[in-house]
Coordinates of all heavy atoms in Angstrom, one line a residue:
K6 N -0.8 0.6 -10.7 CA -2.1 1.0 -10.1 C -3.1 -0.2 -10.0 O -3.8 -0.4 -9.0 CB -2.7 2.2 -10.8 CG -3.9 2.7 -10.1 CD -4.4 4.0 -10.8 CE -5.7 4.5 -10.1 NZ -6.2 5.6 -10.8
V25 N -4.9 1.8 3.2 CA -4.6 3.1 2.6 C -4.0 2.8 1.2 O -3.1 2.0 1.1 CB -3.7 4.0 3.4 CG1 -3.3 5.2 2.7 CG2 -4.3 4.3 4.8
L26 N -4.5 3.4 0.1 CA -4.0 3.1 -1.2 C -3.4 4.4 -1.7 O -4.0 5.4 -1.8 CB -5.2 2.7 -2.1 CG -4.9 2.4 -3.6 CD1 -3.9 1.2 -3.7 CD2 -6.2 2.1 -4.3
V27 N -2.1 4.2 -2.1 CA -1.3 5.4 -2.6 C -0.6 5.0 -3.9 O 0.1 4.0 -4.0 CB -0.2 5.8 -1.5 CG1 0.5 7.0 -2.0 CG2 -0.9 6.0 -0.2
T28 N -0.8 5.8 -4.9 CA -0.1 5.7 -6.2 C 0.7 6.9 -6.6 O 0.4 8.0 -6.1 CB -1.1 5.3 -7.3 OG1 -1.9 6.5 -7.6 CG2 -2.0 4.1 -7.0
S29 N 1.7 6.7 -7.4 CA 2.5 7.8 -7.8 C 1.7 8.9 -8.6 O 2.2 10.1 -8.7 CB 3.7 7.3 -8.6 OG 3.3 6.6 -9.7
T30 N 0.6 8.6 -9.1 CA -0.2 9.6 -9.9 C -1.2 10.3 -9.0 O -1.9 11.2 -9.5 CB -0.9 8.9 -11.1 OG1 -1.8 7.9 -10.5 CG2 0.1 8.3 -12.1
D31 N -1.3 9.9 -7.8 CA -2.3 10.5 -6.8 C -1.7 11.8 -6.3 O -0.7 11.9 -5.7 CB -2.5 9.5 -5.7 CG -3.6 10.0 -4.7 OD1 -4.0 11.2 -4.7 OD2 -4.0 9.2 -3.9
P32 N -2.4 12.9 -6.6 CA -1.9 14.2 -6.2 C -1.9 14.4 -4.6 O -1.2 15.2 -4.1 CB -2.9 15.2 -6.8 CG -4.1 14.5 -7.1 CD -3.7 13.1 -7.4
D33 N -2.6 13.6 -3.9 CA -2.6 13.6 -2.5 C -1.8 12.5 -1.8 O -1.9 12.2 -0.7 CB -4.1 13.4 -1.9 CG -4.9 14.6 -2.3 OD1 -4.4 15.7 -2.4 OD2 -6.1 14.4 -2.5
A34 N -0.9 11.9 -2.6 CA 0.0 10.8 -2.2 C 0.7 11.1 -0.9 O 0.7 10.3 0.1 CB 0.9 10.3 -3.3
S35 N 1.4 12.2 -0.9 CA 2.2 12.6 0.3 C 1.3 12.8 1.5 O 1.7 12.4 2.6 CB 3.1 13.8 0.0 OG 4.0 13.6 -1.0
I36 N 0.2 13.4 1.3 CA -0.7 13.6 2.4 C -1.2 12.3 3.0 O -1.3 12.0 4.2 CB -1.9 14.5 2.0 CG1 -1.5 15.9 1.7 CG2 -3.1 14.5 3.0 CD1 -2.5 16.7 0.9
K37 N -1.6 11.3 2.1 CA -2.0 10.0 2.5 C -0.9 9.3 3.3 O -1.2 8.6 4.3 CB -2.5 9.2 1.3 CG -3.8 9.6 0.7 CD -4.1 8.8 -0.5 CE -5.5 9.2 -1.0 NZ -5.9 8.3 -2.2
I38 N 0.3 9.4 2.8 CA 1.4 8.7 3.5 C 1.6 9.3 4.9 O 1.8 8.6 5.9 CB 2.7 8.8 2.7 CG1 2.6 7.9 1.4 CG2 3.9 8.3 3.5 CD1 3.7 8.1 0.4
R40 N -0.6 10.8 6.7 CA -1.8 10.4 7.5 C -1.6 9.0 8.0 O -2.0 8.7 9.2 CB -3.1 10.6 6.7 CG -3.6 12.0 6.6 CD -5.0 12.0 6.0 NE -5.4 13.3 5.7 CZ -6.2 13.6 4.6 NH1 -6.6 12.7 3.8 NH2 -6.5 14.9 4.4
V50 N -1.0 0.2 0.9 CA -0.7 -0.4 -0.4 C -0.2 0.7 -1.3 O -0.9 1.7 -1.5 CB -1.8 -1.2 -1.0 CG1 -1.5 -1.8 -2.4 CG2 -2.3 -2.3 -0.1
V52 N 2.2 2.2 -4.9 CA 3.0 2.0 -6.1 C 4.1 3.1 -6.2 O 3.7 4.3 -6.2 CB 2.1 2.2 -7.4 CG1 2.9 2.0 -8.7 CG2 0.9 1.2 -7.3
M54 N 5.8 4.7 -4.0 CA 5.7 5.8 -3.1 C 6.3 5.5 -1.8 O 6.7 6.4 -1.1 CB 4.2 6.2 -2.9 CG 3.5 6.8 -4.2 SD 4.3 8.2 -4.8 CE 4.2 9.3 -3.5

Side-chain angles (χ1 to χ4, degrees):
K6 184 178 179 182
V25 175
L26 179 61
V27 183
T28 66
S29 56
T30 59
D31 185 344
D33 294 326
S35 294
I36 293 168
K37 287 181 179 180
I38 291 170
R40 281 188 192 149
V50 178
V52 180
M54 292 303 300

